[in-house]
Amino acid sequence: MPERKNQHYVPEHYLRAWADNEITNALPLSKGESFPEHISSICSRNYFYGDPPVVEAELQHIDGYHANPVSELRGKDNLTDLSPQQIKLLLSFITTQRSRTKATKEDIRAGEDFLRDAIKDDFEHDRYEDLITWDPELTPEERVDTMVDASLLGTHHYVIGLGIFGYHAIKDLEAVMLCNLTDQEFIISDSPIVFDNPCYKPNYGIVAGLGNRGLQIFCPISPDQLLLLYDPQIYNLKSNHKQQVLIKSQEIVNQFNQTQFHNAENTVLFHNSTEDYIQDLHSQIDDVRRRQQITMPMETEEMGKAEVQKAPPYQLPKISPDIPGINTAEGFKYTKERPTSEPWEGRNLVRRMFNEAKAPDAGLIYTIRVFGEHLGLTS
């Protein structure tokens, strides 16, 4: 296989906690039973970030940065031991992972029809004249296809860039580690970062953004650990001096595992759960999974916006896990941006870097390198 042809949208360092000798168990949602799979071939696609694989090569640096705090947590359970740099890396891992998945890429492709019409109009008015040298063997339709694919990939590159600096939007959230003391593991999926908003989702929609008031984020760290981020203005959560909450009820573990079935694009992954247990959760998927079609804005790499009809993958689950020791504050009005969130810090920086780079792949590479410099990871 050519070097870097197989490109992961969930990194191997993350999958490894649910594997023995690099082998995990996978249940495709469209099939009836699970099977063992090597982590090198799961949650990946050929040239997912483009060919030639220049972006993939640079993303490996991001994976290396992000692996550090995740590995630390797997070894200690203790959030209070993380340095400020490691906390930023951990938050960046969460927002980057959410932005890079196949689910996100397919979500972007939901705007393909709008984009195709715009590109056809550009061709009809010769707006690409003298800007592109085309292979004379390409038909007009093939040229449109080439431009559409490049634009959609470029949009994904931009969204990943926003994810890398997304820690600015969630650094105001409080964090606790849910420590699983039951015999049933936390499982994951090919879209493992789950958003919830139990306080406001009954009245304010089915999709939550990074800056929304009332946000909760679930990030499994290992079969025995799940990182919970939450809005401290809305939720009060009792934890011990190590920022841990002990989970002694398998039913609560089941609820978190159901949210992975909700969030999954195609596949659920597990380590030592029984086939009967996974099949039982699969049989209940309609109780938790939400895929409602709505109208949403799509932002392109040229920073333009379009309204598209789609069923976004990252909708809020129909259920909310019964987190022990949590209380909800009353009297706070819902806002799209928490007063303590600073999403513009990352957005403005990424927009500037993509504008300066002129091309989306170069913009993402530039973003990764600046990220390393900002956090003191490169000289």
Side-chain angles (χ1 to χ4, degrees):
M1 179 179 291
E3 186 179 10
R4 300 194 179 99
K5 176 182 177 181
N6 182 45
Q7 301 173 0
H8 280 77
Y9 50 85
V10 182
E12 289 182 79
H13 78 80
Y14 182 70
L15 298 172
R16 202 160 278 124
W18 285 268
D20 273 333
N21 297 319
E22 307 288 284
I23 303 295
T24 188
N25 295 299
L27 174 73
L29 297 184
S30 60
K31 297 184 178 180
E33 60 184 41
S34 63
F35 57 89
E37 185 70 78
H38 199 282
I39 62 171
S40 65
S41 58
I42 202 80
C43 297
S44 65
R45 291 291 184 276
N46 288 345
Y47 299 118
F48 185 75
Y49 303 107
D51 182 18
V54 290
V55 168
E56 165 69 7
E58 206 69 29
L59 278 169
Q60 289 184 357
H61 294 299
I62 282 289
D63 288 343
Y65 299 152
H66 289 160
N68 177 277
V70 174
S71 296
E72 282 288 307
L73 288 176
R74 286 172 177 169
K76 297 180 180 178
D77 268 341
N78 197 343
L79 286 163
T80 58
D81 286 343
L82 296 185
S83 68
Q85 180 195 67
Q86 288 175 314
I87 290 172
K88 288 181 181 179
L89 287 172
L90 181 62
L91 298 181
S92 175
F93 166 72
I94 289 169
T95 52
T96 303
Q97 179 53 59
R98 183 173 165 89
S99 69
R100 70 189 290 186
T101 61
K102 183 174 180 286
T104 297
K105 194 171 185 179
E106 291 300 316
D107 191 39
I108 292 168
R109 187 164 284 278
E112 179 178 352
D113 291 342
F114 175 89
L115 184 60
R116 185 175 296 276
D117 290 342
I119 289 173
K120 284 182 178 179
D121 184 70
D122 287 340
F123 272 109
E124 290 172 2
H125 292 86
D126 296 323
R127 295 191 181 105
Y128 298 121
E129 188 177 5
D130 300 327
L131 297 176
I132 301 175
T133 301
W134 292 102
D135 182 338
E137 295 185 2
L138 290 178
T139 67
E141 189 60 32
E142 287 172 335
R143 294 181 181 185
V144 171
D145 289 342
T146 299
M147 291 295 294
V148 168
D149 289 342
S151 184
L152 291 172
L153 182 61
T155 298
H156 194 206
H157 287 164
Y158 176 63
V159 171
I160 293 170
L162 294 176
I164 290 170
F165 278 95
Y167 65 87
H168 287 285
I170 62 172
K171 63 185 180 183
D172 62 314
L173 299 180
E174 293 287 342
V176 296
M177 184 67 75
L178 305 185
C179 299
N180 182 1
L181 303 184
T182 77
D183 293 331
Q184 179 55 55
E185 67 176 338
F186 290 127
I187 65 173
I188 58 168
S189 73
D190 53 1
S191 294
I193 309 300
V194 180
F195 282 21
D196 196 11
N197 197 325
C199 183
Y200 296 109
K201 68 182 176 184
N203 299 314
Y204 292 97
I206 60 172
V207 177
L210 292 175
N212 288 176
R213 176 168 272 171
L215 179 66
Q216 294 180 359
I217 300 177
F218 313 145
C219 174
I221 297 295
S222 76
D224 298 322
Q225 303 162 287
L226 188 145
L227 180 66
L228 168 65
L229 304 177
Y230 63 94
D231 179 356
Q233 286 192 322
I234 304 303
Y235 310 105
N236 178 48
L237 181 57
K238 295 180 180 179
S239 62
N240 63 25
H241 67 284
K242 293 183 177 181
Q243 293 177 233
Q244 297 170 334
V245 174
L246 306 183
I247 304 297
K248 302 177 182 180
S249 165
Q250 182 175 317
E251 178 55 33
I252 295 174
V253 175
N254 295 347
Q255 292 167 3
F256 280 108
N257 288 344
Q258 283 182 302
T259 68
Q260 290 295 318
F261 271 88
H262 152 72
N263 223 49
E265 177 72 2
N266 299 115
T267 308
V268 168
L269 307 169
F270 60 98
H271 177 223
N272 58 15
S273 295
T274 66
E275 182 73 17
D276 286 345
Y277 175 77
I278 295 298
Q279 290 295 342
D280 185 52
L281 289 184
H282 193 193
S283 71
Q284 302 173 52
I285 192 169
D286 290 340
D287 296 335
V288 63
R289 189 173 174 89
R290 195 196 304 265
R291 288 296 185 273
Q292 187 173 323
Q293 190 172 63
I294 59 176
T295 300
M296 290 189 67
M298 182 189 78
E299 189 167 10
T300 70
E301 81 276 13
E302 292 88 3
M303 318 314 163
K305 289 188 177 181
E307 296 288 332
V308 296
Q309 274 279 335
K310 60 183 179 180
Y314 296 126
Q315 299 182 23
L316 302 176
K318 293 179 183 177
I319 68 163
S320 293
D322 187 17
I323 302 167
I326 197 167
N327 294 299
T328 302
E330 297 181 359
F332 284 91
K333 292 183 178 180
Y334 173 78
T335 56
K336 287 190 175 181
E337 283 195 4
R338 297 183 302 278
T340 50
S341 177
E342 299 178 348
W344 62 88
E345 291 282 350
R347 286 200 301 258
N348 292 344
L349 186 59
V350 172
R351 283 172 178 164
R352 177 176 63 79
M353 287 185 285
F354 271 71
N355 282 331
E356 291 178 2
K358 305 298 183 184
D361 54 353
L364 182 52
I365 291 170
Y366 184 22
T367 298
I368 293 169
R369 293 178 180 178
V370 170
F371 174 80
E373 294 171 2
H374 274 217
L375 271 67
L377 301 166
T378 58
S379 57

